Amino acid sequence: MKKRVFSLFIALFIICGCALTVSAAEDKSYIIDYSLVLSDEEKTELNSLAKQVCSNYGIEAYAVTTELDGLDIAVYADTLFSVESNKSDGVVLVTDTVDFTYYVHTVGRAENMFSDSQLNKIGSAYGDEETYYERFKNFYNELSYQLDLNGVDTIPQERQKPRLVDDAGILTETEKTDLTAKLDEISERLQCDVAVAVVNSLEGKTAQAFADDYYDYNGYGMGSGDDGVLLLLSMSERKWAVSTYGTAFSAINDTAMDYLTDNFTAYLRDDEYYTAFETYADDCDTIITKYENGTPFSEKDAKGNLPIVRNIIISVIAGLIISFIITFAMKSKLKTVRRKYNASDYTVPGSMNITNSSDMYLYRTVSKVKIEKNDGGGSSSHTSSSGRSHGGSSGSF
């Protein structure tokens, strides 16, 4: 046990020192050649294959050469991934160039992507060639092949659709032009896609699953982290969903998500779609900008309109007080009017004689209270069919 803990600390020390050099590079490198067995050209080509795996399947795949010197190879692989990766899903191939052993380590969603047989095939592909370059090349090719067999669809590297898609035709041409310009301006300024998609049907999926897949497989997201947020509406089911990824996932926290969805759904329920989309875009701009400036959206921001409500309440109370004073003053002037407490005070004695009386059922009063239902969920982390981890919320309108 002591040796395992000591090995872990040594691995952390070695990896953290080298990670500083890697993180300083302009482009992320998935090829970590501590043993110096690869040329620069070979590392560049292999890194291109690794980036393709990340872009297509949403997982990071590292290839590492090192001299473990007795360190636990599984612990080393897991530690390296946690230090190097900014994702929760990935594969690490570690090769000890001294004793010629290797280990394929899976993390997060990738743990459930492959059977034992598939992992053996990926490992065997690595061990079939003589040079490390050819071995790593086979590793990435076999990894992609097995992911394809598992039905993990390819994610486009570039955005395939505009930031406003209105398949249902609920907006006028002028509204579409103005809204597209607004979404484009905000997205380019923040370097984070802010998009809206209106579809006719969810095609049997949940609104959240449809939105996540629509985001992934239509190539939304900007920068190396594919940062962005998508609002999706399905008109036949009257369902909505918000899908976030990358920076937008971090920026639009639970509080921000509740604030965002409460604001635009108020307009969706009245079929004021253009106003709803404008509100959504403006709120995304505010929330993400605050996050980028180091002040994430909080409860205080969500309650920013409370002073207005307080002023309205104060005005109403003041009006009631003034009305009471005026009414009381008018009442005090009625000197000849006195209150009568009994009905008999209003009749002339002996003028009314009741010969028969009975009770008759005239009507009934029924009080009903509507039981409200929750038509939306809070922000949460979930995995799309591509294997990516998204944030988001969904509901009906």
Side-chain angles (χ1 to χ4, degrees), residues 134-309:
E134 291 294 337
R135 290 181 180 183
F136 286 134
K137 186 175 180 181
N138 284 355
F139 160 71
Y140 283 115
N141 289 336
E142 185 66 24
L143 180 62
S144 297
Y145 176 71
Q146 295 299 332
L147 287 168
D148 285 335
L149 286 181
N150 290 344
V152 181
D153 294 329
T154 300
I155 298 174
Q157 295 185 6
E158 301 293 335
R159 180 162 50 84
Q160 305 295 301
K161 292 190 176 184
R163 294 187 176 101
L164 173 63
V165 177
D166 181 18
D167 290 341
I170 63 174
L171 299 173
T172 68
E173 291 301 319
T174 300
E175 288 174 337
K176 285 192 283 189
T177 299
D178 293 345
L179 189 57
T180 298
K182 186 183 195 69
L183 293 172
D184 286 342
E185 189 279 325
I186 293 174
S187 299
E188 295 298 331
R189 172 163 46 81
L190 298 178
Q191 285 298 289
C192 177
D193 270 337
V194 178
V196 174
V198 184
V199 299
N200 292 305
S201 171
L202 296 175
E203 301 174 1
K205 297 182 180 180
T206 66
Q208 191 66 71
F210 195 100
D212 293 340
D213 288 347
Y214 197 95
Y215 185 97
D216 288 343
Y217 298 127
N218 286 301
Y220 286 101
M222 299 183 69
S224 59
D226 291 335
D227 307 319
V229 52
L230 169 73
L231 168 60
L232 181 128
L233 262 63
S234 177
M235 299 309 297
S236 62
E237 296 92 349
R238 290 188 71 83
K239 299 284 188 180
W240 61 265
V242 175
S243 179
T244 60
Y245 192 75
T247 297
F249 184 11
S250 302
I252 306 177
N253 54 36
D254 290 344
T255 301
M257 183 65 72
D258 290 340
Y259 175 84
L260 176 70
T261 56
D262 285 347
N263 285 350
F264 72 71
T265 54
Y267 296 104
L268 288 182
R269 294 188 182 96
D270 294 331
D271 293 342
E272 298 178 21
Y273 301 115
Y274 179 75
T275 305
F277 298 152
E278 264 202 327
T279 301
Y280 154 80
D282 289 336
D283 287 345
C284 285
D285 188 3
T286 299
I287 293 168
I288 298 173
T289 298
K290 285 183 66 64
Y291 178 81
E292 295 289 355
N293 291 337
T295 55
F297 198 86
S298 65
E299 289 286 351
K300 182 179 180 181
D301 298 307
K303 297 176 181 178
N305 60 346
L306 283 182
I308 298 176
V309 176

Side-chain angles (χ1 to χ4, degrees), residues 25-81:
E26 181 178 353
D27 293 326
K28 185 173 182 62
S29 176
Y30 298 99
I31 311 302
I32 304 175
D33 183 23
Y34 294 148
S35 297
L36 303 178
V37 296
L38 298 170
S39 68
D40 290 340
E41 292 78 10
E42 289 173 338
K43 285 189 286 187
T44 299
E45 185 173 342
L46 291 172
N47 200 52
S48 178
L49 294 176
K51 287 182 177 180
Q52 188 174 350
V53 170
C54 182
S55 177
N56 289 349
Y57 308 106
I59 65 173
E60 293 193 331
Y62 290 86
V64 185
T65 67
T66 189
E67 298 176 8
L68 291 172
D69 193 24
L71 297 179
D72 188 306
I73 193 169
V75 173
Y76 184 92
D78 188 63
T79 304
L80 183 139
F81 185 85

Side-chain angles (χ1 to χ4, degrees), residues 6 8 51 239 363 374:
F6 177 73
L8 177 59
K51 287 182 177 180
K239 299 284 188 180
Y363 58 87
N374 183 5

